Structures are given as structure tokens and as C-alpha cells.
């Protein structure tokens, strides 16, 4: 199968960096577009209250402050990928990560999602859940999960 658009959810973890590298290689191989998406999951109360956070020369809502920080991180990741020959589109959305990733894949007409896994097991997996697992269960397009590399 030839991929045309590959969506890469990125939470700024080393696992997501590894998945982005795999996606970069796939995008180069297939001549595909790469889309980086970061989902900001703010507690409802904070988003609703629009609490103010001091900026250097301005005040920002918590939502804007989070979006600016995410944008800076995504810009850095996109710049690294661009040096390797792939210039990704960057998207930042607010909401529940697994839901927004699936919505974004549909909106971007992605035909593949490549995402990292954190390898949580046992109680940590039960308490935190797995965004990747939920995406796999609800996505209409194939999902390639990339485990965090073992650096032993």
C-alpha cells in the first residue's frame, strides 16, 4: 500500500520522537505528507475559567499559554524532520487525546497513523489507560504503534 498522508500524534516524549522518525522514513519512502498533531488535554474547569498566566510582556489564558508552549515544541520537531527531508504540517487541538487524534486523522484524510507507545503495564496502564490502545480501537485507518526503544 502507498501512504499519501501519515498522521503522527506527538506528546513530546521520547517514544513519540521515535515514532516521528519512523513516520519520517515512511513518508520519504512513499512520498507522503506528514502531519504532526499535539492534543492538549486541559481539565474542563481550567479551560472554562480561562485562568490568567503571566507572560513576559502580556497575560495569557491557560489555554493560550499551553498552545504557545506546544507550538514551540512542534516547531522544533518539525525543523528536525525538515532537515531530514520531510516538512510536516503542524496541528494543535484541545480535547481528549484519543478522540482528537481519530478526528484529526479523518479531517486530514490520513491513511495511516504512526504513534509511540509508552509501554505501561499493570496498575499504571489500568489507571492511566493507553491513548494508543484507544486510537487502535476507534480509528478507521491503520495504526502503526511503535514501542519505545530499549536502550539497555
Amino acid at each position: 500500500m502507498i501512504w499519501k498522508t501519515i498522521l503522527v500524534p506527538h506528546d513530546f516524549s521520547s517514544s513519540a520522537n521515535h515514532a516521528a522518525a519512523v513516520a519520517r522514513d515512511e513518508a520519504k519512502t512513499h512520498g507522503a505528507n506528514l502531519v504532526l498533531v499535539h492534543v492538549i488535554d486541559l481539565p474542563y474547569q481550567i479551560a472554562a475559567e480561562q485562568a490568567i498566566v503571566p507572560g513576559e510582556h502580556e497575560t495569557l489564558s491557560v489555554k493560550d499559554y499551553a498552545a504557545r508552549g506546544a507550538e514551540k515544541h512542534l516547531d522544533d520537531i518539525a525543523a528536525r524532520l525538515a532537515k531530514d527531508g520531510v516538512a510536516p504540517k503542524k496541528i494543535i487541538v484541545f480535547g481528549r487525546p484519543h478522540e482528537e487524534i481519530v478526528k484529526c486523522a479523518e479531517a486530514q484524510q490520513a491513511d495511516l497513523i504512526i504513534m509511540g507507545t509508552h509501554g505501561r503495564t499493570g496498575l499504571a496502564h489500568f489507571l492511566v489507560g493507553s491513548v494508543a490502545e484507544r486510537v487502535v480501537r476507534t480509528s478507521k485507518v491503520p495504526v502503526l504503534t511503535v514501542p519505545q526503544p530499549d536502550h539497555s
Side-chain angles (χ1 to χ4, degrees), residues 120-130 133-134:
R120 291 185 183 101
T121 58
L123 185 59
H125 177 77
F126 176 75
L127 293 174
V128 177
S130 168
E133 180 182 341
R134 290 176 180 160

Side-chain angles (χ1 to χ4, degrees), residues 94-147:
F94 290 86
R96 296 182 62 177
H98 69 282
E99 292 172 358
E100 295 304 322
I101 291 165
V102 171
K103 282 183 198 173
C104 190
E106 192 170 309
Q108 295 300 310
Q109 297 180 338
D111 40 24
L112 176 64
I113 299 171
I114 298 180
M115 63 189 303
T117 63
H118 293 285
R120 291 185 183 101
T121 58
L123 185 59
H125 177 77
F126 176 75
L127 293 174
V128 177
S130 168
V131 172
E133 180 182 341
R134 290 176 180 160
V135 170
V136 166
R137 280 191 281 126
T138 58
S139 176
K140 294 177 182 169
V141 300
V143 180
L144 173 62
T145 58
V146 180

Side-chain angles (χ1 to χ4, degrees), residues 23-90:
R24 174 206 59 217
D25 294 345
E26 285 298 309
K28 286 170 77 172
T29 298
H30 294 271
N33 295 315
L34 195 61
V35 179
L36 291 173
V37 63
H38 176 72
V39 181
I40 300 172
D41 185 12
L42 289 176
Y44 176 74
Q45 298 84 353
I46 290 176
E49 292 170 13
Q50 294 293 302
I52 301 300
V53 175
E56 289 182 21
H57 302 289
E58 61 188 324
T59 56
L60 300 170
S61 68
V62 170
K63 200 171 181 178
D64 289 341
Y65 183 78
R68 281 196 185 174
E71 186 174 13
K72 181 185 178 316
H73 286 303
L74 276 186
D75 286 346
D76 292 343
I77 294 160
R80 286 195 311 263
L81 292 170
K83 284 181 185 176
D84 292 333
V86 177
K89 179 177 182 178
K90 300 167 293 182

